[in-house]
Every structure is written in structure tokens, then in C-alpha cells.
Amino acid sequence: MSNQSPQVGRGPASAVASPETGAPAPRSGGQLLVDALKVHGVDLAFGVPGESYLEVLDALYDSEIKFVTCRQEGGASYMAEAYGKLTGRPGICFVTRGPGATNGAIGVHVAYQDSTPMILFVGQVGNDFVEREAFQEIDYRRMYGPMAKWVAQIDRADRVPEYVNRAFHTAVSGRPGPVVLALPEDMLTDTASVADTGRYKRVAAHPGDRDMRRLRELLTQAKRPFVILGGGDWNAAACEDIRAFAEANALPVGTAFRRADLYDNRLPSYAGDVGIGINPALAARIKSSDLLIAIGPRLDEMTTGGYTLIDVPRPKQKLVHVHPGAEELGRVYEADLPVNSGMPEFAAMARGIKPVDAAAWTEWTKAARADYEKWLVPERGPGALDLGQVMEFLRKRLPPGAIVTNGAGNFAGWVHRYYPYTGFRTELAPIAGSMGYGVPAGIAAGLVHPDRPVVAFAGDGDFLMTGQELATAAQFGAKVMFVVVNNGMYGTIRMHQEREHPGRVSGTELKNPDFAALARAYGLHGEIVEKTADFAAAFERAWEAKTSSLLELRVDAEAITTRTTLSAIRAAALKKKG
Ligand SMILES: Cc1ncc(C[n+]2csc(CCOP(=O)(O)OP(=O)(O)O)c2C)c(N)n1
Ligand SMILES: [Mg+2]
């Protein structure tokens, strides 16, 4: 073996240090890896097994780490991403080479776009076969290069602690994100006498005093300031600090696309969700603001209405842009005050600023709230089952700690508009707009927080992308209420189709199974709901169920968004075409 050093050889793994030399006892690469995970505080890992990493599975056998065996790597990587979002610690996912790596890519993509710490471990062919296109061989550095913060292959067992340590540091530091580590099979069986590292420490930039003085100065000059919260790198304490900062300065606060849980939506300073299907009054308010304080968001396409809400590259307003990654500042927007800082670090300093006289904008802030409250009142939609009414019921019925997840599709528009998230990590939703996210994210939430109610929303298209993970929920006892919004189509795409090619329905219709029966086949409680009036009772039965549950809501295909119908979109498009 070309990769052997004097400390590396083959032999049985042992955890006992040599009494004579005090040198670390030889351990296999697989054992070293699992020991490193323990050092870094891992309690849960998600994955689908493969013969490429048997040594790791074997080391897990004796460990305290719970390995959640999933039914498809897409589900596993989504769960690991959701774990990362929920805890701020890297979510761990194990997949086998080639097919496992390709299936698992979706969670890595989401972790990248959503700035979530995550580590994907991928099996790899042994170094003795590498570069021959051996069975299921892929060069992961090239495959995952643009999708991850760092991709590497651990070729030597004695360097496992070093690589894993770096992976944890990289995943959580600066702008958080995913790391991919490939594990050649022979490395996992090789042994090495090497010590573990210490636990990783997150590294973050801090704002300078000058930054904070300038922020205060900009505030004193403002008449219509507006705060947008977003991005990764938050924790509950940072959210509290930002709340104190906003309240002390009577600032209106909006949240970037699918980051609504960074601020308790019930607070009088909350002004709404700056994302897809934005409240037109909120969009107008942001356009007419004179100072935007963007704390954490990238100011991405979805948060800026396709870069129309805020002018590129020079916004009309004064812009304060705070981001944990230096590379994001000045990437799209020219800020008056760019601040490179971790979120907790910035939030603590912001809380410490001497409050300014907010008299100039107290009415502006109240008006922003009034716009939001008006927006919260459901518009009556077509059909016997009205999602707006369902959301209103859930708003009153779910306790504040409930976690609400969703995947991608127009159904999520009702959740985002009508469900007020109650604070940090009550929302798990893919900023990357990736279908199939809500189900596994809900399961991860159920496993991480068994004490908190979890409701996972999915569209009929969305659900079947990862619906097989109901088996994982059943196997590991995660309690989740799955709500499948069934409109018999890939509705979002149909909406675009009616706009661009009215009346020409192509590739968007779905013939669905009986979702409730499917749930029962997995051992869950399952019911179909067809009328608004029946929802409350069905909800209560699902709530009382010992197992996870699934409510299939049969909705009218006409109800395409909270504001309009399919026919109206089609009619408008036909009129436009003349
Ligand atoms: C993995 C993935 N594939 C495809 C898409 C494109 N896409 C976005 S929404 C959508 C349809 C969603 O359908 P459904 O879940 O039934 O929700 P609906 O829009 O009908 O409410 C599709 C295909 C995507 N975002 N993610
Ligand atoms: Mg649908």
C-alpha cells in the first residue's frame, strides 16, 4: 500500500493505549472516524448503509451515536440538513459511493443554499483501484466542487482526526455550509496510532466599534428604516438580542424568504415575510424605505423579488449589510456599511447600541404591522376545503413551540402567509426551493425534539419525492403530523404554464394514490379531509394518535395561490396574447 506510513498498518482495532509507550492504541480508520464524531459531540447520524463503509457501521455498533437508517439517501441528507438547521451543529449523513452519493446530493445542495452546517461522508473505492472507474467510482472533488464549502478525500487513516476536525470547523465557521469527505475503503480498514483532536470551535468575525457607531449614525439620519433578518448562523440568544435592538429603536422587522422564524411573528414590530408572494404593501414599503438594515440574508433572488425590490448593484436606500461570510458582502449589492460578522456577535453588539430617537418612524412601524395583520386575514378560496381556514385553525390550535416544516410547491404559500411562526426554529423550509424537504425535515425535527409537536406540510408532488421516509418515522418512533395538500398536479408549474402557455397543460397532471391509505400501510394514522368543517376533528384525532399521522387534504385545483385562481391566470394570459 502506497499510502502507509510507519504509524499506519493493518491489524485489529483497539481502544486501549499502550501501557509501555503511552502511545495511542491502533485504531481502524472507521473507528477513528466514529471516535472523532464522538469528540465533536455527534448524537445522531442519518444515512443509508453501503458495503463501502462497513468499518464505520461496525464502529457505530459500539458507540452511543444513533444511526438513523433511511430509505433513500435524499431523505437521509435532507434529515441531516434539517438537523444542522435545528441545532447549529453539523448534521451528519453517511452514504455509499456512486449511487448513494448521487442520491444524497440534494441535501448538500440545500445545505449550501440555506447556509446550513452539514457533513456528508461518502464511501469511496480503495486507493488500490482508484482512477480505473472501478465499481461505483466518482471523483467527489469534481462532483461536489461547486456545491460544498469543502470537498476532500481522506487517504490515510492517521489523518482522520485532522480531516474531521477541519470539516466541523469549516461547516460552522463564517457562512455555514456543507462539507463532503470521501472515505476510501482501504483507509477505513487500515489502522493508525494517532490521538484524537479536541472538539471543534466555531470561528466568527465580530463587528468593530466603528461599524456600530456608523450604524447608529445611519439610524439617526433615517426616516423610514426597515430591518430584514435572514441567513444561517443564528441561535436563540441572537434572535433575542435582535428583538431587543429592534424594540429599543422601534424598528419594523421583516424576514427573508423562509426565515420567518428568526423573529416572533406575533410581536408588534414584525412586518412580514420578504419572499415569494410577498404582501404587495410590504414590497412597496421596502421600496420606499430610506435605510435597509439587512442582518444575515444574502439578499438572494427570492428575497429581492428577482432583484427588483432592491436595485442592483446600488440600492436607492442606504444599505447596511451584515453577513458572516466576507465573500457575500459586495457580491451583488453595494452597501453603505458592509459588516462582516457572525450573527450572535453582531446581535449582541446591536443590542448594546444606545437607542436612537425613533419618533420619526413610530407611525411607519405601526403601519407596517397593520399591513401585515391585514395580510393575515384569509381570503376565501374556491372549493370545499379552504387552506386559508385550515391555517387559521392551526394558528390558534398549535402551541408556540410547534415546528412547522414544508417542501416546495404553491401549497407552501398558505403556510408562509397565514401561519405566524413563533420564534427561533419553529420553521424548517428549503430556501433552495427543493421538493421533498418537508417530510424528512419533519422526521428530523421529531427525533431532535420529541417533546415538541411537528407538523410537516407537503404537496402531492412534493410528498412522493421522499414519502418513503414514513417508514423511517415509524421505525424510529418520530412523531410527526404530515399534511399532504392534494390538488392532483404539480401546481406551481401548472401556474407558470397557464401564464406562459395558457390552456396548454403539459407534463403537470398527477394521478395520485390514496395518501391516507399509504400512511396506514406504513403503520401511521391516516385520514382524508375534503371539507373545511371536517378538518378540526381530523386534526384532533391525528393529534391524539400514538403514532405519526397523515392528513390528506383534497383541495380544488383552482385554488392555485392565496390570491388568485388558475382560471383567472389563464384568462389574463389569453387576454394578453390577444
Ligand atoms: C426536487 C425538485 N424538483 C422539481 C422542482 C420544480 N418544482 C417546483 S414546485 C413544483 C411542483 C410542486 O407540486 P406539488 O408538491 O404538488 O405542490 P403544488 O404546487 O401543487 O401546491 C415543481 C415540479 C423543484 N423545486 N424541486
Ligand atoms: Mg400539487
Side-chain angles (χ1 to χ4, degrees), residues 27 34 50 64 73 100 126 145 182 195 229 242 275 277 300 360 382 410 416 429 434 484 490 522 555 560 565:
R27 289 174 285 176
V34 170
E64 302 282 294
E73 290 83 353
L229 306 179
I242 283 298
D300 60 299
N410 272 19
H416 297 332
S434 192
V484 180
Y490 286 127
Y522 281 110
V555 298
I560 194 66
T565 61

Tab-separated table of all heavy atoms in Angstrom, residues 27 34 50 64 73 100 126 145 182 195 229 242 275 277 300 360 382 410 416 429 434 484 490 522 555 560 565:
chain	number	residue	atom	x	y	z
A	27	ARG	N	-6.066	2.110	15.949
A	27	ARG	CA	-7.499	2.026	15.633
A	27	ARG	C	-7.668	2.022	14.113
A	27	ARG	O	-6.868	2.614	13.391
A	27	ARG	CB	-8.262	3.232	16.208
A	27	ARG	CG	-8.397	3.217	17.709
A	27	ARG	CD	-9.027	4.507	18.224
A	27	ARG	NE	-8.115	5.627	18.203
A	27	ARG	CZ	-8.438	6.879	18.529
A	27	ARG	NH1	-9.676	7.164	18.916
A	27	ARG	NH2	-7.545	7.848	18.487
A	34	VAL	N	-15.467	7.350	13.774
A	34	VAL	CA	-16.575	7.370	14.739
A	34	VAL	C	-16.110	8.015	16.055
A	34	VAL	O	-16.848	8.792	16.675
A	34	VAL	CB	-17.134	5.944	14.952
A	34	VAL	CG1	-18.113	5.894	16.107
A	34	VAL	CG2	-17.800	5.467	13.664
A	50	GLY	N	-23.908	1.056	3.092
A	50	GLY	CA	-23.286	0.558	1.862
A	50	GLY	C	-22.087	-0.292	2.252
A	50	GLY	O	-21.482	-0.055	3.308
A	64	GLU	N	-22.391	5.374	21.164
A	64	GLU	CA	-23.646	5.950	21.651
A	64	GLU	C	-24.393	6.688	20.539
A	64	GLU	O	-25.504	7.162	20.740
A	64	GLU	CB	-23.334	6.995	22.740
A	64	GLU	CG	-22.553	6.459	23.925
A	64	GLU	CD	-23.449	5.681	24.864
A	64	GLU	OE1	-24.331	6.303	25.460
A	64	GLU	OE2	-23.273	4.443	24.970
A	73	GLU	N	-31.179	8.000	0.072
A	73	GLU	CA	-30.159	8.949	0.543
A	73	GLU	C	-30.642	10.396	0.480
A	73	GLU	O	-30.159	11.243	1.239
A	73	GLU	CB	-28.874	8.791	-0.265
A	73	GLU	CG	-28.118	7.495	-0.013
A	73	GLU	CD	-28.643	6.308	-0.822
A	73	GLU	OE1	-29.692	6.452	-1.504
A	73	GLU	OE2	-28.014	5.236	-0.774
A	100	GLY	N	-25.195	6.091	-3.979
A	100	GLY	CA	-25.541	6.757	-2.713
A	100	GLY	C	-25.174	8.229	-2.781
A	100	GLY	O	-25.935	9.104	-2.351
A	126	GLY	N	-11.292	1.719	-2.927
A	126	GLY	CA	-9.983	1.709	-2.285
A	126	GLY	C	-8.936	2.403	-3.151
A	126	GLY	O	-9.088	2.506	-4.375
A	145	GLY	N	-17.700	19.790	-6.083
A	145	GLY	CA	-16.936	21.038	-6.004
A	145	GLY	C	-17.767	22.295	-5.840
A	145	GLY	O	-17.608	23.021	-4.869
A	182	ALA	N	-14.790	12.063	1.407
A	182	ALA	CA	-14.824	10.726	0.817
A	182	ALA	C	-13.917	9.797	1.612
A	182	ALA	O	-12.859	10.206	2.107
A	182	ALA	CB	-14.375	10.799	-0.641
A	195	ALA	N	-3.657	10.274	17.979
A	195	ALA	CA	-4.539	10.820	19.021
A	195	ALA	C	-5.738	11.531	18.393
A	195	ALA	O	-5.680	11.983	17.247
A	195	ALA	CB	-3.753	11.821	19.876
A	229	LEU	N	-34.152	40.281	8.402
A	229	LEU	CA	-33.325	39.233	9.016
A	229	LEU	C	-33.275	38.030	8.081
A	229	LEU	O	-34.266	37.699	7.441
A	229	LEU	CB	-33.932	38.790	10.347
A	229	LEU	CG	-34.217	39.878	11.386
A	229	LEU	CD1	-34.831	39.244	12.637
A	229	LEU	CD2	-32.950	40.640	11.735
A	242	ILE	N	-31.526	40.604	18.817
A	242	ILE	CA	-32.023	41.426	17.700
A	242	ILE	C	-33.408	41.961	18.029
A	242	ILE	O	-33.750	43.101	17.705
A	242	ILE	CB	-32.021	40.605	16.383
A	242	ILE	CG1	-30.591	40.518	15.851
A	242	ILE	CG2	-32.961	41.184	15.349
A	242	ILE	CD1	-29.926	41.865	15.491
A	275	GLY	N	-40.483	37.371	0.819
A	275	GLY	CA	-40.147	36.208	-0.009
A	275	GLY	C	-41.068	36.117	-1.213
A	275	GLY	O	-41.625	37.128	-1.653
A	277	GLY	N	-44.325	35.673	-3.300
A	277	GLY	CA	-45.703	36.015	-2.979
A	277	GLY	C	-45.771	37.033	-1.857
A	277	GLY	O	-46.645	36.985	-0.997
A	300	ASP	N	-30.816	37.385	-1.635
A	300	ASP	CA	-30.822	36.477	-2.789
A	300	ASP	C	-32.015	36.773	-3.697
A	300	ASP	O	-32.832	37.645	-3.412
A	300	ASP	CB	-30.882	35.037	-2.280
A	300	ASP	CG	-32.128	34.794	-1.449
A	300	ASP	OD1	-32.313	35.459	-0.408
A	300	ASP	OD2	-32.954	33.955	-1.845
A	360	ALA	N	-39.424	59.725	14.438
A	360	ALA	CA	-39.677	59.932	13.010
A	360	ALA	C	-40.349	58.721	12.357
A	360	ALA	O	-40.986	58.863	11.314
A	360	ALA	CB	-38.357	60.247	12.301
A	382	PRO	N	-61.547	29.082	-3.566
A	382	PRO	CA	-62.540	28.181	-4.147
A	382	PRO	C	-62.458	26.777	-3.539
A	382	PRO	O	-61.428	26.412	-2.976
A	382	PRO	CB	-62.153	28.151	-5.624
A	382	PRO	CG	-60.708	28.505	-5.661
A	382	PRO	CD	-60.435	29.375	-4.470
A	410	ASN	N	-46.677	25.429	-4.476
A	410	ASN	CA	-47.537	26.567	-4.137
A	410	ASN	C	-48.274	26.393	-2.827
A	410	ASN	O	-48.615	27.372	-2.172
A	410	ASN	CB	-48.547	26.806	-5.266
A	410	ASN	CG	-47.977	27.728	-6.324
A	410	ASN	OD1	-46.761	27.903	-6.414
A	410	ASN	ND2	-48.828	28.324	-7.134
A	416	HIS	N	-46.814	29.935	4.660
A	416	HIS	CA	-45.968	31.104	4.918
A	416	HIS	C	-46.804	32.356	5.157
A	416	HIS	O	-46.444	33.209	5.943
A	416	HIS	CB	-45.010	31.331	3.750
A	416	HIS	CG	-44.040	30.197	3.548
A	416	HIS	ND1	-43.626	29.388	4.590
A	416	HIS	CD2	-43.420	29.728	2.443
A	416	HIS	CE1	-42.789	28.481	4.116
A	416	HIS	NE2	-42.654	28.658	2.828
A	429	ALA	N	-37.759	25.005	6.340
A	429	ALA	CA	-38.237	25.104	4.969
A	429	ALA	C	-37.039	25.365	4.057
A	429	ALA	O	-36.113	26.067	4.456
A	429	ALA	CB	-39.241	26.250	4.854
A	434	SER	N	-36.396	23.209	-2.687
A	434	SER	CA	-36.224	21.833	-3.114
A	434	SER	C	-37.402	20.970	-2.659
A	434	SER	O	-37.687	20.866	-1.465
A	434	SER	CB	-34.920	21.323	-2.505
A	434	SER	OG	-34.561	20.121	-3.082
A	484	VAL	N	-50.731	16.479	3.679
A	484	VAL	CA	-50.492	16.453	2.235
A	484	VAL	C	-51.599	17.239	1.532
A	484	VAL	O	-52.777	16.906	1.645
A	484	VAL	CB	-50.450	14.997	1.700
A	484	VAL	CG1	-50.211	14.996	0.189
A	484	VAL	CG2	-49.366	14.207	2.408
A	490	TYR	N	-48.707	19.062	-10.309
A	490	TYR	CA	-47.555	19.884	-9.954
A	490	TYR	C	-48.022	21.324	-10.158
A	490	TYR	O	-47.787	21.946	-11.202
A	490	TYR	CB	-46.374	19.572	-10.871
A	490	TYR	CG	-45.680	18.249	-10.605
A	490	TYR	CD1	-45.476	17.323	-11.627
A	490	TYR	CD2	-45.182	17.945	-9.339
A	490	TYR	CE1	-44.813	16.118	-11.394
A	490	TYR	CE2	-44.511	16.739	-9.101
A	490	TYR	CZ	-44.340	15.837	-10.132
A	490	TYR	OH	-43.679	14.657	-9.890
A	522	TYR	N	-47.893	2.151	6.201
A	522	TYR	CA	-46.626	2.326	6.924
A	522	TYR	C	-46.817	2.230	8.439
A	522	TYR	O	-45.882	2.439	9.202
A	522	TYR	CB	-46.030	3.705	6.599
A	522	TYR	CG	-45.329	3.796	5.262
A	522	TYR	CD1	-45.886	4.530	4.217
A	522	TYR	CD2	-44.095	3.175	5.054
A	522	TYR	CE1	-45.235	4.646	2.990
A	522	TYR	CE2	-43.440	3.284	3.832
A	522	TYR	CZ	-44.007	4.022	2.806
A	522	TYR	OH	-43.361	4.131	1.610
A	555	VAL	N	-57.871	19.374	-2.147
A	555	VAL	CA	-58.224	20.773	-2.418
A	555	VAL	C	-58.563	20.953	-3.898
A	555	VAL	O	-58.197	20.132	-4.743
A	555	VAL	CB	-57.074	21.732	-2.012
A	555	VAL	CG1	-56.791	21.664	-0.519
A	555	VAL	CG2	-55.801	21.453	-2.806
A	560	ILE	N	-54.982	28.121	-6.704
A	560	ILE	CA	-53.569	27.968	-7.080
A	560	ILE	C	-52.627	28.805	-6.220
A	560	ILE	O	-51.464	28.432	-6.013
A	560	ILE	CB	-53.368	28.233	-8.601
A	560	ILE	CG1	-52.000	27.733	-9.051
A	560	ILE	CG2	-53.564	29.692	-8.980
A	560	ILE	CD1	-51.812	26.260	-8.979
A	565	THR	N	-56.862	32.399	-8.856
A	565	THR	CA	-57.239	31.055	-9.306
A	565	THR	C	-56.560	30.741	-10.630
A	565	THR	O	-56.106	31.639	-11.345
A	565	THR	CB	-58.768	30.975	-9.524
A	565	THR	OG1	-59.121	31.924	-10.533
A	565	THR	CG2	-59.532	31.248	-8.249
